Amino acid sequence: MSENLTQILTSGGLIITHSLFTLAIGFYLITCLQWFSYKFERVLFHFTKPAWHVFFAIVPVVLYYTTGKFFWIYFYFAMVPSLYLWHKRLDKKLVFTPRVKRFFIILIIALVLENIFCYISVKCQNLGVILPLAISFILSFMLEKMNFKMYEKAALKKLENMKELKIVLITASFGKTSIKNFLFEILKDDFKCHKTPRSVNTLAGLIQDVNSNLASDTQIYIAEAGARLKGDIAEITAFLRPQIVIVGEIGAQHIEYFKTLENIRATKLEALGSNRLEKAFVHSSTLAKESEKIEIFDKNLNEIEANLEGVKFSLDEFKFSSPLLGKFNCANLAACIKTALYLGLKADKVQNLISKLKNVEHRLQRIDAGGKIIIDDSFNGNFNGMSASYELVASYEGRKVLITPGIVESTAEDNEKLSKIINEIFDVVMISSSLNAASLLKYLTKPKIIIIKDKAKMQEMLAQNTRAGDLILFSNDAPSFM
């Protein structure tokens, strides 16, 4: 009797360990997939921390199949604690969205069925971990595709019923979120406007926004469109069919996905393919030719001045001033001005509204605290914008401190160019990610250099290395998985 009980307990322990281990691997994989918009190819081929895959997926699976009954020692005393600490230190933790919950429900059902099968089958000697995971991901993706088509159909029907709705589609390599927010602020008093929330800019995100947030009496829908692959903008354009399109500045952002600047340019210009296009305002870097419907919005942008108090510029025959920081915002504002005038606003009203605009949160946002000037530009992640922010603070007479990971998802050459500019301006440089550290360090000879290995200790390091009178610039940010 005791021998049978021991066997049952041993079997039960193995089943529990097997199930928890499979769930742990699933937890790691779904976290990675959520970061990269559930694209397996991006998790496999564009992951910047491949050692994590080795440590939390490959090695555990190999040990599971090779250590037999001793695997539980590694799982409970090594893998579980390390996975817990890994997730705890992430600055972008897994969000248990309905999609993630559905995945885990499918995985649990797969595990239950697998355990039942192995219990009744004399041929089942070892509970597999790969099969239930593979089946769960396949079924999960099939279910999400079905849900996506259903939600897309509902969103299309809703848009078709909004006969008076004007849709403004905004895309660019960088600056699209700022353009969206500025345009909304300019138009909101004259029109019932809705803008896509935060940085929602994928087809799935736009479909959800239309279904959940777009009121039926909205007059103008300002939508941001992002891309990682050729055809992404065309797909969004076919869904929204915008009457007005803004294509902002083109640069090497996400070059690792597109390979060439020409591919990026062609992808962004897919927005001009809308079958309801009335007017497009495009940046000169798009190299698009002007026509009756297409206008270069920065063509007559002149007399640009930028300092820590704001910007001034002229556009066509009008002069504008704004408390917004950063020379690059002049081009962003030019796109908004052209659009607002096209929609019927008077120039003097637009001038007044622009003079009252405030910086978007985390985009050259000035904060005065403890005798220090803090410039939060952590959402600015391109060479033009970052270098312009450095020029902006160059005239400050006190000590200048920079905290940056460099330019994420761009070229080593751009980060090396940035390094040369940083070297001439800043007194202290804190590098907050290893991703571009080698490129950034290449030309840094004058500033004091501090490498931040643990972002959780950043506040402590700032307290130790800054003092009253300093200007502190947070330039871009990289999540811990980059």
Side-chain angles (χ1 to χ4, degrees):
M1 185 71 176
S2 59
E3 188 178 332
N4 288 337
L5 181 61
T6 302
Q7 190 175 359
I8 291 170
L9 290 174
T10 301
S11 267
L14 288 173
I15 289 171
I16 291 170
T17 299
H18 160 74
S19 300
L20 291 176
F21 174 61
T22 308
L23 288 169
I25 296 289
F27 176 82
Y28 171 73
L29 292 175
I30 200 71
T31 301
C32 296
L33 282 165
Q34 191 176 76
W35 291 334
F36 291 93
S37 304
Y38 300 97
K39 304 289 186 184
F40 262 109
E41 65 272 20
R42 291 174 64 189
V43 173
L44 290 173
F45 303 115
H46 298 285
F47 203 74
T48 55
K49 297 278 182 76
W52 287 0
H53 288 345
V54 174
F55 193 73
F56 293 113
I58 296 172
V59 168
V61 170
V62 170
L63 290 176
Y64 175 82
Y65 284 106
T66 57
T67 56
K69 62 182 181 180
F70 298 106
F71 174 75
W72 68 272
I73 300 172
Y74 160 78
F75 176 66
Y76 290 110
F77 294 99
M79 184 177 175
V80 170
S82 61
L83 190 63
Y84 169 78
L85 291 172
W86 168 78
H87 189 258
K88 186 178 180 181
R89 291 165 67 101
L90 290 175
D91 50 17
K92 197 170 181 181
K93 296 176 173 60
L94 178 65
V95 180
F96 280 84
T97 61
R99 175 173 185 157
V100 172
K101 291 175 183 176
R102 286 192 289 268
F103 164 74
F104 278 113
I105 289 170
I106 292 170
L107 182 56
I108 289 169
I109 292 170
L111 284 169
V112 170
L113 292 174
E114 181 193 40
N115 288 328
I116 292 171
F117 173 78
C118 281
Y119 179 77
I120 63 177
S121 173
V122 293
K123 294 181 180 180
C124 184
Q125 300 296 320
N126 185 23
L127 294 169
V129 67
I130 295 174
L131 184 61
L133 282 169
I135 290 172
S136 298
F137 276 114
I138 290 169
L139 292 177
S140 174
F141 274 68
M142 289 174 62
L143 177 61
E144 297 310 320
K145 192 169 184 179
M146 290 170 58
N147 284 339
F148 178 83
K149 289 297 180 185
M150 182 179 67
Y151 295 143
E152 183 181 30
K153 188 176 180 180
L156 283 168
K157 186 176 180 180
K158 185 174 182 178
L159 289 174
E160 286 172 7
N161 290 333
M162 298 174 71
K163 304 297 184 184
E164 304 303 315
L165 179 68
K166 287 274 187 184
I167 298 176
V168 182
L169 179 65
I170 302 168
T171 189
S173 292
F174 32 77
K176 50 188 177 289
T177 303
S178 293
I179 294 172
K180 175 188 70 179
N181 288 320
F182 298 155
L183 185 60
F184 176 81
E185 292 299 319
I186 292 167
L187 299 178
K188 68 179 182 179
D189 293 334
D190 289 84
F191 302 94
K192 176 71 183 293
C193 295
H194 175 72
K195 61 176 179 174
T196 49
R198 303 177 304 280
S199 292
V200 169
N201 59 24
T202 63
L203 179 59
L206 289 164
I207 288 170
Q208 183 180 0
D209 187 47
V210 169
N211 282 325
S212 304
N213 305 317
L214 187 65
S216 58
D217 61 344
T218 303
Q219 294 173 292
I220 296 180
Y221 181 30
I222 306 170
E224 181 180 339
R228 286 291 191 279
L229 297 169
K230 185 179 179 182
D232 283 355
I233 299 299
E235 199 174 26
I236 291 170
T237 302
F239 166 66
L240 288 177
R241 300 168 59 232
Q243 295 96 333
I244 301 170
V245 166
I246 298 173
V247 183
E249 192 167 356
I250 304 298
Q253 206 72 359
H254 309 310
I255 193 75
E256 64 177 290
Y257 302 108
F258 290 101
K259 306 305 179 187
T260 69
L261 199 60
E262 288 71 26
N263 288 340
I264 295 174
R265 186 176 287 114
T267 300
K268 301 301 180 184
L269 288 174
E270 290 169 356
L272 302 184
S274 172
N275 60 8
R276 292 196 301 178
L277 184 68
E278 296 174 4
K279 194 71 175 178
F281 301 102
V282 303
H283 192 270
S284 54
S285 61
T286 63
L287 304 183
K289 292 182 179 179
E290 284 194 300
S291 66
E292 185 181 344
K293 289 186 176 182
I294 300 172
E295 183 176 345
I296 308 298
F297 66 74
D298 61 323
K299 183 173 68 173
N300 296 316
L301 181 61
N302 298 302
E303 302 176 65
I304 296 172
E305 297 178 29
N307 55 40
L308 287 172
E309 302 305 316
V311 296
K312 294 180 181 179
F313 60 94
S314 65
L315 183 66
D316 298 324
E317 70 269 29
F318 304 109
K319 292 187 181 294
F320 299 88
S321 64
S322 173
L324 297 175
L325 301 183
K327 182 171 65 176
F328 55 86
N329 269 325
C330 297
N332 293 336
L333 289 172
C336 298
I337 292 164
K338 293 280 188 179
T339 305
L341 294 176
Y342 176 76
L343 288 168
L345 270 67
K346 300 297 183 184
D348 57 345
K349 181 167 188 176
V350 177
Q351 286 172 316
N352 182 52
L353 289 167
I354 282 178
S355 71
K356 297 175 181 177
L357 285 175
K358 295 180 181 179
N359 272 80
V360 179
E361 190 177 14
H362 306 304
R363 286 178 168 86
L364 281 178
Q365 181 183 16
R366 178 170 173 164
I367 305 163
D368 293 273
K372 304 171 186 177
I373 298 175
I374 300 169
I375 307 290
D376 182 358
D377 199 30
S378 54
F379 280 11
N380 187 356
N382 63 85
F383 176 80
N384 288 357
M386 292 170 74
S387 59
S389 70
Y390 301 164
E391 292 171 19
L392 177 70
V393 305
S395 60
Y396 184 71
E397 294 181 358
R399 265 199 347 158
K400 294 173 279 293
V401 180
L402 176 69
I403 300 98
T404 186
I407 312 171
V408 179
E409 294 183 324
S410 189
T411 63
E413 290 76 17
D414 273 357
N415 279 292
E416 288 171 10
K417 284 195 293 181
L418 207 65
S419 175
K420 291 179 181 179
I421 300 170
I422 293 169
N423 188 61
E424 297 302 318
I425 294 173
F426 291 93
D427 302 289
V428 179
V429 175
M430 297 184 177
I431 298 175
S432 58
S433 171
S434 61
L435 188 63
N436 298 305
S439 299
L440 290 174
L441 290 169
K442 191 165 185 179
Y443 296 105
L444 293 185
T445 57
K446 296 179 182 178
K448 177 183 176 182
I449 298 167
I450 299 168
I451 306 294
I452 301 175
K453 295 181 179 179
D454 183 357
K455 287 177 70 176
K457 296 181 179 179
M458 186 183 293
Q459 192 170 352
E460 179 185 333
M461 296 183 77
L462 277 170
Q464 293 172 356
N465 293 282
T466 61
R467 55 180 183 257
D470 286 353
L471 183 149
I472 304 168
L473 174 62
F474 286 87
S475 179
N476 201 7
D477 188 24
S480 51
F481 64 85
M482 299 294 285

